[in-house]
């Protein structure tokens, strides 16, 4: 089934109204909307903002088709890190952990961007490119 993923920052009342990253799927054929999935880790400090979604163009029905969502985790006014999470085609997180893409000390690594495609079906080893 063809679908796309929408990622967004939302104030989470369960975690002191801090901004968390959530996602939902949208099925193009039926207009069905999937459940909210929290992608950011609420036990890490800071605000989570600026989510971006990278897609997977693979057409082989026997292989996994994932998305990669990346975002900024702003721990303080002087420290911002880049986190991410792989999301399966059904809209659920692929792993139970958040990917720490960049975690410097007192560095501003923010506004990440992820490639539209990971090259699945086009190259032997599918990878996304993340810049920040």
């Amino acid at each position: 089934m063809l679908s796309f993923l929408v990622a967004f920052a939302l104030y989470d009342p369960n975690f002191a109204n801090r901004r968390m990253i959530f996602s939902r799927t949208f099925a193009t054929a039926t207009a069905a909307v999937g459940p909210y999935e929290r992608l950011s880790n609420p036990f890490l400090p800071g605000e989570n903002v600026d989510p971006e979604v990278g897609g997977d163009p693979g057409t082989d029905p026997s292989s996994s088709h994932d998305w990669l969502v990346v975002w900024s985790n702003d721990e303080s006014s002087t420290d911002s890190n880049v986190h991410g999470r792989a999301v399966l085609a059904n809209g659920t997180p692929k792993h139970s952990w958040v990917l720490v893409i960049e975690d410097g000390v007192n560095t501003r690594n923010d506004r990440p961007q992820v490639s539209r495609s990971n090259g699945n079906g086009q190259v032997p080893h599918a990878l996304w490119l993340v810049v920040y």
Side-chain angles (χ1 to χ4, degrees):
M1 173 171 59
L2 294 176
S3 63
F4 61 89
L5 186 78
V6 177
F8 47 94
L10 187 65
Y11 289 98
D12 192 335
N14 297 316
F15 294 96
N17 272 336
R18 290 177 30 235
R19 284 179 287 186
M20 298 290 158
I21 302 301
F22 288 84
S23 68
R24 294 182 87 171
T25 55
F26 179 84
T28 56
T30 63
V33 178
Y36 286 88
E37 292 285 347
R38 183 185 309 109
L39 301 180
S40 52
N41 182 343
F43 301 106
L44 294 176
E47 298 285 326
N48 299 281
V49 296
D50 301 327
E52 288 284 326
V53 179
D56 179 343
T59 56
D60 181 356
S62 66
S63 67
S64 175
H65 300 288
D66 307 332
W67 290 284
L68 177 65
V69 179
V70 297
W71 64 88
S72 294
N73 172 256
D74 297 340
E75 287 189 27
S76 70
S77 62
T78 60
D79 191 11
S80 181
N81 303 306
V82 178
H83 293 177
R85 195 117 183 234
V87 178
L88 295 170
N90 67 7
T92 60
K94 187 171 185 174
H95 306 289
S96 61
W97 61 87
V98 168
L99 301 167
V100 178
I101 297 169
E102 179 60 51
D103 187 10
V105 176
N106 290 325
T107 57
R108 294 292 304 173
N109 302 304
D110 54 9
R111 293 188 300 270
Q113 302 286 307
V114 61
S115 57
R116 281 185 173 190
S117 166
N118 65 0
N120 188 14
Q122 313 298 316
V123 297
H125 302 287
L127 299 169
W128 285 279
L129 175 66
V130 177
V131 296
Y132 46 92

